[in-house]
Amino acid sequence: MLAIRLPASIEKRLEKLAKRTGRTKSFYAREAILRHLENLEDIYVADQVYARYLKGEEKTIPLEEAMKRHGITAEMAHDMEN
């Protein structure tokens, strides 16, 4: 269980969104935390890998090789940019 205090302005925005969509405030608070948590976890892992890279413990590969490993074509990469 988690209880948090929100500034009144955020609380009102959350209430309006919940009313407009028929979802609960808890639903949106959970969604926001989960999305932000995933980003924070990704950043933490990236920081760890970068630290290992700086120590010479992690190797890099050319972009073309990474794309090949993950089945990404140049055309697909171009489409992702747009």
XYZ file of all heavy atoms in Angstrom:
670
model
N 0.846 -1.179 0.000
C 0.000 0.000 0.000
C 0.884 1.233 0.000
O 1.886 1.276 0.699
C -0.891 -0.036 1.239
C -1.801 1.136 1.365
S -2.996 1.116 0.029
C -4.091 2.352 0.526
N 0.496 2.209 -0.756
C 1.250 3.449 -0.869
C 0.286 4.617 -0.764
O -0.753 4.631 -1.424
C 1.966 3.497 -2.224
C 2.693 4.768 -2.580
C 3.912 4.962 -1.691
C 3.134 4.696 -4.033
N 0.617 5.547 0.082
C -0.202 6.763 0.193
C 0.698 7.939 -0.129
O 1.803 8.041 0.406
C -0.765 6.897 1.598
N 0.247 8.796 -1.034
C 1.056 9.960 -1.392
C 0.200 11.220 -1.335
O -1.002 11.178 -1.553
C 1.677 9.821 -2.804
C 0.592 9.657 -3.868
C 2.647 8.664 -2.859
C 1.110 9.718 -5.285
N 0.859 12.312 -1.046
C 0.189 13.607 -1.062
C 0.559 14.287 -2.370
O 1.728 14.332 -2.752
C 0.643 14.466 0.107
C 0.192 13.943 1.432
C 0.616 14.918 2.535
N 0.472 14.323 3.833
C -0.634 14.400 4.567
N -1.678 15.049 4.114
N -0.690 13.823 5.751
N -0.444 14.811 -3.040
C -0.230 15.518 -4.299
C -0.605 16.976 -4.130
O -1.535 17.296 -3.379
C -1.099 14.907 -5.406
C -0.827 13.462 -5.779
C -1.885 12.966 -6.747
C 0.555 13.316 -6.391
N 0.072 17.848 -4.852
C -0.368 19.245 -4.847
C -1.809 19.313 -5.369
O -2.227 18.491 -6.196
C 0.592 19.927 -5.819
C 1.795 19.037 -5.860
C 1.275 17.649 -5.641
N -2.562 20.280 -4.870
C -3.980 20.402 -5.230
C -4.176 20.474 -6.738
O -5.121 19.884 -7.273
C -4.583 21.628 -4.553
N -3.285 21.154 -7.449
C -3.442 21.294 -8.900
C -3.341 19.947 -9.616
O -4.103 19.660 -10.540
C -2.401 22.265 -9.461
O -1.082 21.782 -9.214
N -2.445 19.103 -9.149
C -2.297 17.775 -9.758
C -3.479 16.895 -9.381
O -4.000 16.145 -10.207
C -0.949 17.132 -9.355
C 0.198 17.944 -9.962
C -0.883 15.674 -9.802
C 1.567 17.494 -9.531
N -3.899 16.989 -8.135
C -5.062 16.219 -7.677
C -6.293 16.549 -8.519
O -7.028 15.655 -8.959
C -5.342 16.519 -6.207
C -6.530 15.775 -5.626
C -6.243 14.334 -5.285
O -5.081 13.986 -5.075
O -7.211 13.550 -5.238
N -6.507 17.843 -8.799
C -7.655 18.253 -9.609
C -7.542 17.727 -11.033
O -8.523 17.268 -11.616
C -7.792 19.776 -9.611
C -8.331 20.319 -8.317
C -8.466 21.827 -8.363
C -8.936 22.328 -7.003
N -9.153 23.765 -6.987
N -6.353 17.791 -11.611
C -6.158 17.264 -12.968
C -6.451 15.774 -13.007
O -7.088 15.273 -13.935
C -4.727 17.528 -13.438
C -4.451 18.979 -13.748
C -3.011 19.236 -14.049
N -2.561 18.484 -15.230
C -1.280 18.368 -15.565
N -0.340 18.920 -14.830
N -0.948 17.694 -16.643
N -5.996 15.073 -12.001
C -6.219 13.629 -11.916
C -7.701 13.324 -11.771
O -8.225 12.416 -12.432
C -5.421 13.076 -10.738
C -5.227 11.579 -10.628
C -4.645 10.990 -11.893
C -4.324 11.271 -9.440
N -8.384 14.083 -10.946
C -9.828 13.894 -10.768
C -10.577 14.142 -12.074
O -11.472 13.363 -12.435
C -10.357 14.840 -9.688
C -10.031 14.398 -8.287
C -10.511 15.391 -7.238
O -11.387 16.229 -7.540
O -10.006 15.314 -6.100
N -10.236 15.203 -12.787
C -10.895 15.509 -14.062
C -10.672 14.396 -15.074
O -11.601 13.984 -15.769
C -10.382 16.834 -14.627
C -10.922 18.045 -13.923
C -10.375 19.316 -14.575
C -10.844 20.551 -13.858
N -10.307 21.781 -14.462
N -9.447 13.927 -15.153
C -9.142 12.852 -16.092
C -9.928 11.594 -15.743
O -10.512 10.952 -16.623
C -7.639 12.555 -16.089
C -7.166 11.447 -17.011
C -7.462 11.781 -18.485
C -5.681 11.185 -16.815
N -9.972 11.260 -14.471
C -10.706 10.070 -14.035
C -12.189 10.187 -14.372
O -12.797 9.237 -14.872
C -10.502 9.852 -12.535
N -12.777 11.348 -14.129
C -14.192 11.549 -14.433
C -14.470 11.466 -15.930
O -15.456 10.862 -16.361
C -14.675 12.894 -13.891
C -14.871 12.901 -12.403
C -15.354 14.257 -11.904
C -15.458 14.265 -10.395
N -15.857 15.583 -9.889
N -13.603 12.080 -16.719
C -13.801 12.077 -18.181
C -13.694 10.686 -18.779
O -14.339 10.367 -19.776
C -12.782 12.991 -18.865
C -13.095 14.453 -18.760
C -12.227 15.257 -19.719
N -10.818 14.968 -19.508
C -9.893 15.853 -19.159
N -10.225 17.108 -18.986
N -8.649 15.495 -19.000
N -12.852 9.854 -18.203
C -12.573 8.551 -18.809
C -13.272 7.382 -18.123
O -13.240 6.266 -18.645
C -11.056 8.285 -18.804
O -10.600 8.257 -17.447
C -10.308 9.347 -19.590
N -13.830 7.623 -16.939
C -14.473 6.528 -16.218
C -13.498 5.605 -15.521
O -13.858 4.518 -15.082
N -12.254 6.010 -15.428
C -11.248 5.222 -14.709
C -11.045 5.846 -13.333
O -11.475 6.952 -13.068
C -9.932 5.229 -15.474
C -10.057 4.622 -16.854
C -9.037 3.585 -17.016
N -9.035 3.073 -18.383
C -8.802 1.822 -18.647
N -8.569 0.982 -17.689
N -8.799 1.401 -19.881
N -10.329 5.141 -12.483
C -10.080 5.672 -11.148
C -8.792 6.491 -11.122
O -7.920 6.327 -11.979
C -9.945 4.537 -10.122
O -8.782 3.757 -10.447
C -11.185 3.648 -10.111
N -8.702 7.337 -10.102
C -7.461 8.085 -9.906
C -6.311 7.111 -9.649
O -5.198 7.322 -10.124
C -7.600 9.059 -8.739
C -8.556 10.199 -9.013
C -8.537 11.240 -7.901
C -9.007 10.668 -6.594
N -9.040 11.677 -5.516
N -6.612 6.046 -8.925
C -5.586 5.040 -8.624
C -5.049 4.396 -9.902
O -3.853 4.112 -10.008
C -6.138 3.949 -7.710
O -6.412 4.486 -6.447
N -5.949 4.161 -10.861
C -5.518 3.574 -12.130
C -4.453 4.459 -12.770
O -3.396 3.982 -13.188
C -6.708 3.409 -13.080
C -6.294 3.036 -14.479
C -6.028 1.718 -14.813
C -6.154 4.006 -15.462
C -5.627 1.375 -16.099
C -5.757 3.678 -16.742
C -5.489 2.354 -17.067
N -4.730 5.759 -12.857
C -3.787 6.659 -13.516
C -2.516 6.859 -12.710
O -1.424 6.972 -13.284
C -4.458 7.992 -13.836
C -5.418 7.842 -14.986
C -6.785 7.968 -14.795
C -4.958 7.535 -16.259
C -7.669 7.804 -15.848
C -5.837 7.354 -17.314
C -7.184 7.497 -17.109
O -8.056 7.318 -18.153
N -2.623 6.871 -11.395
C -1.425 6.984 -10.564
C -0.540 5.751 -10.769
O 0.680 5.860 -10.924
C -1.815 7.127 -9.096
N -1.165 4.567 -10.802
C -0.422 3.328 -11.034
C 0.263 3.346 -12.390
O 1.444 3.006 -12.521
C -1.401 2.141 -10.951
C -0.954 1.032 -10.087
C -1.915 -0.156 -10.020
N -3.235 -0.026 -10.610
C -4.336 0.304 -9.931
N -4.280 0.563 -8.647
N -5.492 0.384 -10.537
N -0.483 3.752 -13.432
C 0.076 3.815 -14.786
C 1.273 4.759 -14.852
O 2.287 4.446 -15.451
C -0.989 4.260 -15.788
C -2.015 3.207 -16.112
C -1.411 2.001 -16.797
O -0.738 2.173 -17.840
O -1.594 0.881 -16.287
N 1.127 5.928 -14.239
C 2.209 6.912 -14.256
C 3.450 6.371 -13.549
O 4.572 6.513 -14.053
C 1.744 8.216 -13.607
N 3.241 5.736 -12.407
C 4.373 5.181 -11.661
C 5.037 4.063 -12.453
O 6.268 4.004 -12.556
C 3.923 4.700 -10.268
C 3.567 5.910 -9.399
C 4.999 3.843 -9.612
C 2.858 5.566 -8.109
N 4.246 3.172 -13.022
C 4.818 2.056 -13.788
C 5.643 2.542 -14.966
O 6.746 2.066 -15.202
C 3.718 1.109 -14.275
C 3.105 0.216 -13.215
C 1.916 -0.546 -13.791
C 4.138 -0.752 -12.673
N 5.112 3.508 -15.713
C 5.859 4.024 -16.869
C 7.141 4.722 -16.438
O 8.185 4.534 -17.041
C 4.981 4.950 -17.690
C 3.922 4.193 -18.437
C 3.108 5.077 -19.318
N 2.051 4.290 -19.923
C 1.218 4.753 -20.813
N 1.306 6.011 -21.207
N 0.285 3.982 -21.321
N 7.057 5.521 -15.397
C 8.241 6.223 -14.936
C 9.240 5.240 -14.335
O 10.445 5.376 -14.529
C 7.859 7.301 -13.914
C 8.985 8.201 -13.571
N 9.542 9.077 -14.475
C 9.682 8.351 -12.423
C 10.529 9.734 -13.898
N 10.631 9.312 -12.655
N 8.754 4.258 -13.621
C 9.614 3.247 -13.024
C 10.392 2.499 -14.101
O 11.593 2.256 -13.960
C 8.780 2.284 -12.175
C 9.528 1.253 -11.349
C 10.477 1.934 -10.371
C 8.536 0.379 -10.592
N 9.722 2.136 -15.197
C 10.402 1.462 -16.301
C 11.516 2.337 -16.863
O 12.618 1.852 -17.143
C 9.406 1.095 -17.394
C 8.474 -0.035 -17.005
C 7.377 -0.290 -18.024
O 7.359 0.371 -19.079
O 6.531 -1.150 -17.741
N 11.253 3.629 -17.013
C 12.276 4.543 -17.507
C 13.459 4.624 -16.544
O 14.616 4.593 -16.955
C 11.700 5.944 -17.732
C 10.747 5.991 -18.901
O 10.780 5.154 -19.784
N 9.874 6.978 -18.893
N 13.162 4.729 -15.251
C 14.235 4.793 -14.254
C 15.068 3.516 -14.243
O 16.296 3.564 -14.127
C 13.650 5.049 -12.860
C 13.064 6.435 -12.632
C 12.386 6.495 -11.261
C 14.119 7.511 -12.752
N 14.405 2.374 -14.363
C 15.136 1.099 -14.409
C 16.031 1.036 -15.636
O 17.187 0.590 -15.550
C 14.150 -0.070 -14.394
C 13.462 -0.246 -13.062
C 12.284 -1.203 -13.105
O 11.717 -1.449 -14.201
O 11.919 -1.710 -12.038
N 15.527 1.486 -16.789
C 16.338 1.507 -18.011
C 17.555 2.409 -17.850
O 18.661 2.071 -18.272
C 15.504 1.974 -19.206
C 14.484 0.950 -19.656
O 14.586 -0.227 -19.239
O 13.584 1.315 -20.436
N 17.343 3.573 -17.239
C 18.451 4.505 -17.028
C 19.497 3.888 -16.106
O 20.702 3.995 -16.348
C 17.928 5.849 -16.463
C 17.127 6.582 -17.544
C 19.071 6.713 -15.935
C 16.321 7.757 -17.019
N 19.052 3.227 -15.061
C 19.961 2.584 -14.114
C 20.807 1.525 -14.822
O 22.026 1.480 -14.649
C 19.174 1.968 -12.962
C 20.042 1.256 -11.952
C 20.834 1.973 -11.063
C 20.082 -0.135 -11.896
C 21.643 1.325 -10.142
C 20.887 -0.787 -10.976
C 21.670 -0.052 -10.105
O 22.475 -0.703 -9.206
N 20.176 0.696 -15.635
C 20.913 -0.336 -16.369
C 21.893 0.306 -17.345
O 23.057 -0.103 -17.444
C 19.944 -1.289 -17.109
C 20.693 -2.189 -18.082
C 19.162 -2.130 -16.109
N 21.461 1.346 -18.054
C 22.340 2.033 -19.001
C 23.550 2.629 -18.278
O 24.682 2.543 -18.779
C 21.572 3.122 -19.743
N 23.332 3.203 -17.118
C 24.444 3.763 -16.341
C 25.439 2.675 -15.939
O 26.656 2.885 -15.985
C 23.936 4.470 -15.085
C 23.330 5.831 -15.361
O 23.536 6.381 -16.476
O 22.642 6.359 -14.462
N 24.922 1.528 -15.549
C 25.804 0.414 -15.165
C 26.635 -0.057 -16.356
O 27.836 -0.294 -16.223
C 24.991 -0.748 -14.605
C 24.407 -0.496 -13.244
C 23.649 -1.712 -12.753
O 22.893 -2.343 -13.484
N 23.844 -2.042 -11.486
N 25.997 -0.207 -17.499
C 26.705 -0.668 -18.701
C 27.749 0.368 -19.119
O 28.880 0.015 -19.471
C 25.714 -0.958 -19.855
C 26.447 -1.241 -21.154
C 24.809 -2.130 -19.485
N 27.381 1.639 -19.060
C 28.321 2.694 -19.434
C 29.533 2.700 -18.495
O 30.677 2.848 -18.948
C 27.630 4.058 -19.430
C 28.518 5.168 -19.903
C 29.078 5.157 -21.183
C 28.815 6.242 -19.076
C 29.901 6.179 -21.620
C 29.631 7.268 -19.506
C 30.180 7.239 -20.780
O 30.999 8.252 -21.199
N 29.312 2.506 -17.214
C 30.423 2.437 -16.254
C 31.345 1.269 -16.596
O 32.575 1.408 -16.547
C 29.893 2.318 -14.828
N 30.746 0.124 -16.951
C 31.565 -1.032 -17.347
C 32.324 -0.731 -18.638
O 33.477 -1.124 -18.786
C 30.680 -2.267 -17.516
C 30.172 -2.836 -16.210
C 29.639 -4.251 -16.332
N 28.704 -4.465 -17.409
C 27.373 -4.398 -17.284
N 26.828 -4.115 -16.125
N 26.596 -4.620 -18.322
N 31.694 -0.021 -19.562
C 32.349 0.358 -20.820
C 33.562 1.244 -20.530
O 34.645 1.035 -21.093
C 31.360 1.087 -21.737
C 32.020 1.805 -22.889
C 32.499 1.099 -23.977
C 32.171 3.177 -22.857
C 33.126 1.755 -25.032
C 32.792 3.845 -23.895
C 33.270 3.129 -24.982
O 33.890 3.781 -26.011
N 33.390 2.228 -19.648
C 34.496 3.128 -19.311
C 35.662 2.386 -18.665
O 36.821 2.773 -18.825
C 34.016 4.249 -18.393
C 33.059 5.263 -19.014
C 32.589 6.262 -17.957
C 33.720 5.994 -20.184
N 35.366 1.294 -17.953
C 36.406 0.476 -17.316
C 37.009 -0.527 -18.289
O 37.914 -1.274 -17.932
C 35.825 -0.291 -16.130
C 35.400 0.569 -14.972
C 34.794 -0.312 -13.891
C 34.143 0.491 -12.810
N 33.452 -0.365 -11.827
N 36.484 -0.578 -19.511
C 36.974 -1.544 -20.489
C 36.376 -2.923 -20.322
O 36.861 -3.888 -20.905
N 35.324 -3.030 -19.533
C 34.688 -4.321 -19.262
C 33.525 -4.609 -20.202
O 32.949 -5.688 -20.150
C 34.168 -4.349 -17.821
C 35.247 -4.173 -16.777
C 34.698 -3.973 -15.383
O 33.468 -3.846 -15.224
O 35.504 -3.927 -14.442
N 33.173 -3.659 -21.023
C 32.021 -3.799 -21.922
C 32.470 -3.404 -23.316
O 33.154 -2.408 -23.497
C 30.884 -2.896 -21.436
C 29.552 -3.153 -22.060
C 28.857 -4.380 -21.498
O 28.953 -4.657 -20.298
O 28.202 -5.068 -22.289
N 32.100 -4.187 -24.305
C 32.469 -3.916 -25.694
C 31.307 -3.258 -26.423
O 30.150 -3.421 -26.053
C 32.849 -5.213 -26.420
C 33.983 -5.973 -25.791
C 35.282 -5.262 -25.987
C 36.410 -6.102 -25.387
N 37.600 -5.356 -25.189
N 31.630 -2.538 -27.458
C 30.604 -1.949 -28.311
C 30.630 -2.653 -29.661
O 31.597 -3.339 -29.994
C 30.851 -0.440 -28.535
O 32.110 -0.265 -29.197
C 30.848 0.309 -27.215
N 29.559 -2.485 -30.413
C 29.509 -3.030 -31.766
C 28.994 -1.931 -32.683
O 28.297 -1.021 -32.233
C 28.603 -4.284 -31.863
C 27.161 -3.940 -31.471
C 29.147 -5.421 -31.016
C 26.182 -5.073 -31.723
N 29.326 -2.003 -33.962
C 28.817 -0.997 -34.902
C 27.286 -1.055 -34.992
O 26.675 -2.109 -34.792
C 29.449 -1.398 -36.242
C 30.599 -2.278 -35.890
C 30.231 -2.950 -34.600
N 26.682 0.086 -35.286
C 25.232 0.171 -35.404
C 24.691 -0.856 -36.396
O 23.671 -1.500 -36.139
C 24.816 1.585 -35.826
C 23.321 1.798 -36.091
C 22.500 1.486 -34.848
C 23.079 3.216 -36.573
N 25.356 -1.005 -37.515
C 24.895 -1.949 -38.537
C 24.795 -3.360 -37.985
O 23.871 -4.104 -38.301
C 25.823 -1.920 -39.763
C 25.783 -0.629 -40.540
C 26.618 0.491 -39.901
O 27.450 0.210 -38.991
O 26.397 1.650 -40.286
N 25.763 -3.745 -37.140
C 25.747 -5.080 -36.540
C 24.577 -5.218 -35.557
O 23.896 -6.246 -35.526
C 27.063 -5.366 -35.824
C 27.109 -6.705 -35.104
C 26.958 -7.912 -36.016
O 27.297 -7.816 -37.216
O 26.488 -8.957 -35.536
N 24.333 -4.183 -34.756
C 23.208 -4.219 -33.815
C 21.893 -4.350 -34.575
O 21.012 -5.118 -34.181
C 23.204 -2.965 -32.945
N 21.760 -3.594 -35.656
C 20.539 -3.671 -36.457
C 20.371 -5.069 -37.038
O 19.277 -5.628 -37.015
C 20.578 -2.614 -37.568
C 20.434 -1.200 -37.053
S 20.725 0.084 -38.284
C 19.524 -0.324 -39.543
N 21.448 -5.642 -37.520
C 21.395 -6.986 -38.099
C 20.976 -8.011 -37.040
O 20.130 -8.863 -37.297
C 22.761 -7.348 -38.682
C 22.809 -8.670 -39.388
C 24.184 -8.912 -39.987
C 24.267 -10.273 -40.630
N 25.609 -10.527 -41.200
N 21.560 -7.924 -35.849
C 21.229 -8.854 -34.764
C 19.748 -8.818 -34.402
O 19.178 -9.827 -34.003
C 22.022 -8.518 -33.507
C 23.451 -8.924 -33.534
C 24.081 -8.661 -32.185
N 25.525 -8.841 -32.249
C 26.328 -8.729 -31.205
N 25.822 -8.432 -30.015
N 27.616 -8.890 -31.337
N 19.150 -7.637 -34.521
C 17.756 -7.473 -34.112
C 16.796 -7.437 -35.297
O 15.613 -7.140 -35.130
C 17.607 -6.213 -33.259
C 18.366 -6.311 -31.971
N 17.929 -7.060 -30.909
C 19.559 -5.789 -31.603
C 18.818 -6.985 -29.935
N 19.811 -6.224 -30.323
N 17.307 -7.779 -36.481
C 16.456 -7.872 -37.653
C 15.904 -6.542 -38.133
O 14.804 -6.494 -38.685
N 16.633 -5.468 -37.914
C 16.184 -4.138 -38.341
C 16.897 -3.778 -39.631
O 18.127 -3.754 -39.695
C 16.477 -3.080 -37.264
C 15.757 -3.441 -35.965
C 16.087 -1.686 -37.746
C 16.158 -2.575 -34.789
N 16.108 -3.504 -40.658
C 16.686 -3.093 -41.932
C 16.866 -1.578 -41.945
O 16.278 -0.857 -41.141
C 15.784 -3.498 -43.109
O 14.553 -2.760 -43.012
C 15.501 -4.994 -43.108
N 17.663 -1.088 -42.896
C 17.873 0.353 -43.040
C 16.543 1.051 -43.311
O 16.279 2.139 -42.795
C 18.879 0.634 -44.147
N 15.684 0.398 -44.093
C 14.371 0.981 -44.401
C 13.516 1.092 -43.142
O 12.855 2.107 -42.905
C 13.649 0.140 -45.444
C 12.319 0.716 -45.882
C 11.658 -0.115 -46.965
O 12.271 -0.277 -48.045
O 10.537 -0.586 -46.714
N 13.541 0.061 -42.311
C 12.788 0.101 -41.065
C 13.310 1.206 -40.151
O 12.526 1.932 -39.541
C 12.888 -1.247 -40.336
C 12.142 -2.384 -40.995
S 12.568 -3.993 -40.288
C 11.816 -3.878 -38.681
N 14.629 1.358 -40.083
C 15.216 2.403 -39.255
C 14.809 3.768 -39.760
O 14.489 4.662 -38.964
C 16.740 2.273 -39.237
N 14.770 3.937 -41.051
C 14.358 5.213 -41.635
C 12.883 5.507 -41.285
O 12.542 6.616 -40.931
C 14.539 5.199 -43.155
C 14.061 6.445 -43.827
N 14.756 7.627 -43.742
C 12.967 6.705 -44.562
C 14.095 8.555 -44.407
N 13.011 8.023 -44.925
N 12.050 4.470 -41.368
C 10.623 4.636 -41.027
C 10.457 5.019 -39.550
O 9.562 5.787 -39.214
C 9.843 3.357 -41.327
C 9.687 3.107 -42.816
O 9.929 4.029 -43.611
O 9.342 1.967 -43.184
N 11.310 4.482 -38.672
C 11.225 4.795 -37.242
C 11.605 6.247 -36.978
O 11.110 6.853 -36.023
C 12.148 3.886 -36.435
C 11.622 2.471 -36.288
S 12.660 1.527 -35.166
C 13.427 0.400 -36.288
N 12.454 6.819 -37.805
C 12.871 8.206 -37.631
C 11.749 9.166 -37.996
O 11.692 10.276 -37.488
C 14.086 8.515 -38.500
C 15.346 7.840 -38.039
C 16.512 8.072 -38.987
O 16.326 8.738 -40.024
O 17.612 7.592 -38.678
N 10.868 8.744 -38.867
C 9.797 9.627 -39.336
C 8.507 9.371 -38.664
O 7.980 8.895 -37.967
C 9.599 9.499 -40.844
C 10.860 9.921 -41.591
O 11.534 10.849 -41.179
N 11.175 9.216 -42.651
